[in-house]
Amino acid sequence: MYRPDEIDRAIVDARVAEFRDQVARRLSGELDEDHFKPLRLKNGLYLQLHAYMLRVAIPYGVLSAEQLRMLADVARRYDRGYGHFTTRQNIQFNWVKLEEAPDLLADLARVGLHAIQTSGNCVRNITSDPYAGAAADEVVDPRPWAELLRQWSTLHPEFSYLPRKFKIAITGAPVDRAAIRFHDIGLELRRLEGRLGLKVYVGGGMGRTPMLGACIRDFLPAEEFLSYCEAILRVYNRHGRRDNIHKARIKILVQALGAEQFAAEVEREHAHLKGQGIDAPWGEVERIAAHFTDPPFTLGLPDDFRVDALDPGLERWVARQVMRHRVPGYRIVNVSLKPPGGIPGDASAEQMEAIAELADAYSFGEVRVTHAQNLVLPHVRAIDIPAVYRALMQVGLAEANLDLASDIICCPGLDYCTLANARSIPVAQALADRLRPIEAELGELKIKVSGCINACGHHHAGHIGILGVDRKGTENYQLLLGGSGAEDASLAQILGPGFTAEGVVEAVARVVDVYRRERAAGERFLDTYRRLGPAPFREAVYG
Amino acid sequence: MKLLTGNRVRTGDVVWWAGDRWSTRLAEAVGLEPAEGERLLAEQAAHEQVNDLALVDAEPRPGGGWRPVHIRERIRAYGPTVRPDLAREGENWR
Ligand code: HEM
Ligand code: SF4
């Protein structure tokens, strides 16, 4: 795992001290809100419906057990005993008091965590594959590259006032677990004839104008990747629409210029930047990569374990939550944060502590956060799987629903968020309850719910997406079908007029019935939808 | 009628104008005529103790007290509807 060095620590400590002073001046009346608000946003502190919300960065979704324990501690001491893991692999605390925020940040800093660049028009937290360094299908470990991006983008003076926020995701596997085509820059590490390089997508995003990223480079040599990213940001910084917040994201620029011309601009800028020492020297790449060498795996362990035939719960959980590891004798364990009746992505302080314990005992002290708002123990010995299952049972986290209908991605919506039009969590809960009895039979079905057009709940990327809208002051929901955030990325399309909360649950049930009736052997919901198109689904819902 | 509301700078708590002070309880809010509300809003904005000041529409509840017209304000008064365990005592988001 990456360990923060003196430079990282100095940056974070200096920021905590600076923010402490700014908060003191706000509280004494020396600073008014107009001047203070941009300062607090630079430190991830938003004002939401009920309180301040603090967004803490989890670089590429990797947490140590120690860090997770600190998050639990913070939840208990400064919040109401829980936190919310987000689709960008971060965590949000919902009940922070301004007067306590500096102490909170100082506590986080003790374990190398912070909220820098979790808000505002800068390069946000770099996201990645939660199975990095563990996945059996991994071609290249993305973590050193994500860390390079993190160091390069941290407090980068040229990119601190971009036209709008900027999100980068990087993966190193053919199966996309990081939704790279929905990011401003999406990177896929690959090998070609023994050389290391990246496929570069640009201009993807959700929000009011959802778009899939366009590929502007099929194979960028790895040695040049920072200067190339810098070239992309320069072109964006120069030409992005600062005059209109709704047109300021890079996706709008890429669309306006066309991917080809945008790529040509980037190439021109890159030709100019290439020789200027922006790219990390190879020795530095290797130094960073050394942080991500394997934990001390035991080789030659039995690659199997006895699933007790008397425990069908364990068997079901293993089939759903446990993935192959690239090292024989190990497994990747997915921990669902979508228990029945729960709030997607929420974890209590006790649950965080329990997972930190498990990470220490069984996974070399490592935990990952997924963009689907679940957690991962990346390196568990196969023979320990039954013990991990039993421990998760005890804290209510042994749900076997990965990628099933009740594994819903959901934003905070009108229960917490000032920008929301409608609640999203109760709709997700009602859908999960309705579909849970048949979810195993339905197979992979990704449902995603957002409380407004900003699309924090990824509804455009849902096999089934739900968008909360305001209809004359009441909550209303649109139904979208056919999206995907994975390697077969696509944008979901609106099916027809909106519904009440109860109505949209009923509509989803009908959509699912069409799938059960029409599916061919081996087809997921998404495959059936793609084969048939919207007509039969529309007929079932509105007919 | 209108209610004057916002979030306390120091804590972020939701507060309601209670005639001579801010209260965290909607039950203590006072109904305001629009012109009076605007005047108070401007006055309080200058004090810089409460953020996101807003005048919101409300109707009297049959048993006394106020019911904000928009669900957003009722949720602000109550807390997240999905966490009744954290709700402000005596409030009702419906
Ligand atoms: C509660 C406070 C939040 C606020 C004020 C907020 C605000 C926004 C806004 C304004 C956008 C649209 C950006 C644009 O299109 O230019 C956005 C997008 C997004 N947010 Fe949030 N958000 C919040 C919470 C969350 C949470 C909890 C998650 C994860 C569950 C999240 C993840 C995202 C993602 C993935 C996008 C879309 C990707 C993109 O195109 O940028 N946000 N958010
Ligand atoms: S999608 Fe809208 S309602 Fe949901 S968290 Fe984002 S801004 Fe808030």
Side-chain angles (χ1 to χ4, degrees), chain A residues 26 32-33 47 49-52 80 82 96-99 343 414-416 418 423 425 470 473 475, chain B residues 7-14 48-49 51-52 70-72 75-76 79-83 86 93:
Chain A
R26 176 71 185 102
D32 63 16
E33 191 64 16
L47 183 56
L49 290 183
H50 312 289
Y52 293 95
R80 299 197 175 175
Y82 66 105
V96 174
K97 296 187 193 321
L98 179 62
E99 57 190 354
I343 294 174
L414 191 55
D415 281 299
Y416 292 94
T418 48
R423 284 172 294 163
I425 299 166
D470 180 302
E475 297 168 294
Chain B
N7 295 73
R8 196 168 264 149
V9 169
R10 184 171 288 278
T11 57
D13 287 342
V14 174
E48 288 279 342
Q49 299 294 311
N51 281 339
D52 289 6
H70 202 282
I71 183 171
R72 180 182 194 272
I75 290 174
R76 287 180 68 245
T81 65
V82 289
R83 291 297 302 260
L86 303 178
W93 64 269

Side-chain angles (χ1 to χ4, degrees), chain A residues 239-471:
Chain A
H239 300 298
R241 293 277 305 267
R242 288 173 190 272
D243 60 309
N244 181 340
I245 191 174
H246 299 312
K247 302 204 161 154
R249 295 290 294 266
I250 194 173
K251 60 191 172 188
I252 305 290
L253 178 64
V254 174
Q255 185 192 43
L257 292 179
E260 259 172 48
Q261 201 199 322
F262 182 86
E265 295 259 350
V266 171
E267 294 296 339
R268 198 170 321 130
E269 187 64 41
H270 187 224
H272 162 70
L273 284 178
K274 212 166 12 182
Q276 296 190 14
I278 291 162
D279 288 296
W282 204 249
E284 181 62 10
V285 174
E286 283 173 345
R287 190 188 69 82
I288 289 176
H291 284 282
F292 301 98
T293 49
D294 281 349
F297 290 126
T298 309
L299 300 181
L301 285 173
D303 193 40
D304 221 334
F305 46 90
R306 218 175 61 87
V307 171
D308 195 334
L310 294 177
D311 192 345
L314 171 59
E315 209 172 325
R316 214 175 321 118
W317 180 80
V318 168
R320 208 64 238 168
Q321 303 295 118
V322 178
M323 304 287 152
R324 295 231 146 253
H325 196 284
R326 78 190 159 71
V327 177
Y330 285 84
R331 292 290 186 279
I332 300 167
V333 170
N334 288 277
V335 179
S336 172
L337 293 182
K338 322 290 174 71
I343 294 174
D346 276 15
S348 68
E350 292 71 31
Q351 289 173 328
M352 290 185 226
E353 272 161 0
I355 291 170
E357 288 302 310
L358 285 175
D360 271 339
Y362 298 110
S363 185
F364 300 98
E366 260 195 63
V367 179
R368 307 286 174 80
V369 184
T370 80
H371 86 272
Q373 302 177 287
N374 291 314
L375 298 178
V376 169
L377 296 168
H379 311 297
V380 178
R381 297 193 305 184
I383 48 175
D384 291 331
I385 291 287
V388 169
Y389 171 70
R390 280 191 294 274
L392 288 172
M393 285 274 277
Q394 293 191 348
V395 284
L397 293 176
E399 192 65 8
N401 61 354
L402 187 74
D403 294 339
L404 298 182
S406 68
D407 184 13
I408 299 177
I409 291 182
C410 178
C411 81
L414 191 55
D415 281 299
Y416 292 94
C417 175
T418 48
L419 303 177
N421 286 322
R423 284 172 294 163
S424 45
I425 299 166
V427 173
Q429 290 173 328
L431 280 169
D433 289 347
R434 176 77 177 249
L435 297 175
R436 196 175 291 108
I438 56 166
E439 69 180 350
E441 179 236 312
L442 294 176
E444 182 181 304
L445 176 55
K446 298 185 182 178
I447 303 179
K448 312 195 182 198
V449 190
S450 305
C452 82
I453 198 167
N454 288 320
C456 304
H458 284 195
H459 62 274
H460 300 114
H463 297 179
I464 297 178
I466 293 169
L467 164 64
V469 295
D470 180 302
R471 193 158 170 272

Side-chain angles (χ1 to χ4, degrees), chain A residues 175-243:
Chain A
V175 173
D176 180 3
R177 289 172 286 258
I180 62 171
R181 294 199 60 196
F182 282 97
H183 281 76
D184 297 288
I185 296 179
L187 300 166
E188 183 193 336
L189 285 150
R190 52 208 321 215
R191 282 185 200 285
L192 198 68
E193 293 159 7
R195 288 168 60 224
L196 183 60
L198 303 97
K199 190 165 182 172
V200 182
Y201 294 96
V202 66
M206 312 256 179
R208 70 179 58 224
T209 325
M211 275 183 220
L212 292 180
C215 179
I216 59 166
R217 218 9 148 85
D218 206 50
F219 192 84
L220 171 73
E223 319 77 79
E224 296 176 11
F225 107 117
L226 283 184
S227 56
Y228 195 81
C229 287
E230 185 138 336
I232 294 173
L233 273 151
R234 277 209 166 173
V235 171
Y236 170 52
N237 216 4
R238 191 178 306 140
H239 300 298
R241 293 277 305 267
R242 288 173 190 272
D243 60 309

